[in-house]
Amino acid sequence: MFKLIVNADDFGFSNGVNYGIIDAHRYGIVNSTTMMVNTPGTAHAVGLAKQNPSLSVGIHLALTFGKPVRTDVPTLVNEHGNFRIDKIVENNKNVSLEEVEREWEAQIEKFLSFGLTPSHFDSHHHIHGWAFLAPVVRRLAEKYSLPVRNVFSANPENIPTLTDVFLDGFYDENVTEQYFHHITEGLSAEKTIEVMCHPAYIDTFLTSNSTYCQKRLTELDILMNTRLPDALSLIEK
């Protein structure tokens, strides 16, 4: 038997995203989500999280979208005050690790101020897996006693991970009804698995700020209608 976490990223991004995640939980197989705290839908997400206590909620740390929580992180922002870090290319040029840690700690503290208990943390665009950020990730994981999404090709810092295996394949052209029937292939027994997903209802903010929109509706439909194979068991909160 494989234990499964189906985590919906981007909780808090917009109201449409929030409603999609909640429906994918209430009527489908999503049992976890990670929340952004620097986006327009954050307050809305907090309210929905409190109305749906069976949904595990973690923290979706940001450095590549929106504005920082703190104002004293000059190496992380552009002239407009928005995060300037490129999500595609790992590049630590002129980025202060002290500022990254300061900002991410502020995001975690903001999440805690909502009165929610975090299950774990990950990051927008998986940048917590970048090697030069590993010491920051380890310190934050230790300070807040939180496991971290396992995106690491190597883990020399011995960062505590949420699951044995992380899968990001349920995305774009790979969003199919059969996806969950193949995820255990090649894995040994008794592994814990996290599958990332992005269900949503499309709204104006999403279409204006993301290139990944229509497929989120397809994801939502599949997540609400998929029956997991017998080898997979959802982890309950």
Side-chain angles (χ1 to χ4, degrees), residues 52-65:
N52 294 272
S54 58
L55 178 64
S56 293
V57 183
I59 306 164
H60 202 51
L61 297 174
L63 278 186
T64 58
F65 182 83

Side-chain angles (χ1 to χ4, degrees), residues 160-177:
T161 56
L162 179 67
T163 58
D164 300 314
V165 178
F166 168 67
L167 300 175
D168 60 359
F170 189 68
Y171 190 79
D172 207 7
E173 70 272 9
N174 294 320
V175 175
T176 67
E177 295 180 358

Side-chain angles (χ1 to χ4, degrees), residues 136-149:
V136 172
V137 174
R138 176 183 53 78
R139 286 193 292 270
L140 291 175
E142 290 177 352
K143 178 173 182 176
Y144 293 98
S145 299
L146 292 175
V148 182
R149 171 176 280 174

Side-chain angles (χ1 to χ4, degrees), residues 206-224:
L206 182 63
T207 56
S208 299
N209 291 277
S210 176
T211 58
Y212 190 69
C213 294
Q214 191 63 38
K215 276 289 185 178
R216 293 184 191 241
L217 279 174
T218 306
E219 287 195 27
L220 177 58
D221 183 63
I222 292 172
L223 292 164
M224 289 196 297

Side-chain angles (χ1 to χ4, degrees), residues 31 34 53 59 64 67-68 76 86-87 113 122 129 138 169 179 198 202 217 223 231 233 236:
N31 57 351
T34 38
I59 306 164
T64 58
K67 295 181 182 294
L76 307 184
D86 191 325
K87 67 182 181 181
S113 75
D122 56 27
R138 176 183 53 78
Y179 178 84
H198 297 83
I202 298 174
L217 279 174
L223 292 164
S233 176
E236 296 184 3

